[in-house]
Amino acid sequence: MRSEATRTAELPIYESLIRERGDVVEEARAVAEKTQQQMSQALAGHAPAPTEPGEH
């Protein structure tokens, strides 16, 4: 297990990566939530109209 000091020291690196590359974790979370909502609707018989890949 890492100490609190080790975790705190790593945060600036993570934050700079987010600035440079974007927050991939947050993007993945948003896509997962959207997919979950779509699947819930589809299973309930209310499937949304299909969209083109890459469309948001």
Side-chain angles (χ1 to χ4, degrees):
M1 183 180 243
R2 293 181 178 179
S3 71
E4 187 64 33
T6 302
R7 281 187 244 143
T8 303
E10 291 174 353
L11 290 178
I13 295 170
Y14 183 73
E15 289 172 1
S16 68
L17 285 172
I18 289 174
R19 282 193 302 273
E20 292 173 17
R21 308 282 180 167
D23 193 344
V24 176
V25 174
E26 179 56 35
E27 291 172 19
R29 183 178 296 119
V31 170
E33 288 173 357
K34 181 178 178 181
T35 302
Q36 185 177 19
Q37 290 172 351
Q38 290 174 342
M39 296 312 307
S40 294
Q41 289 176 348
L43 291 171
H46 305 288
T51 59
E52 292 294 317
E55 211 176 275
H56 298 287

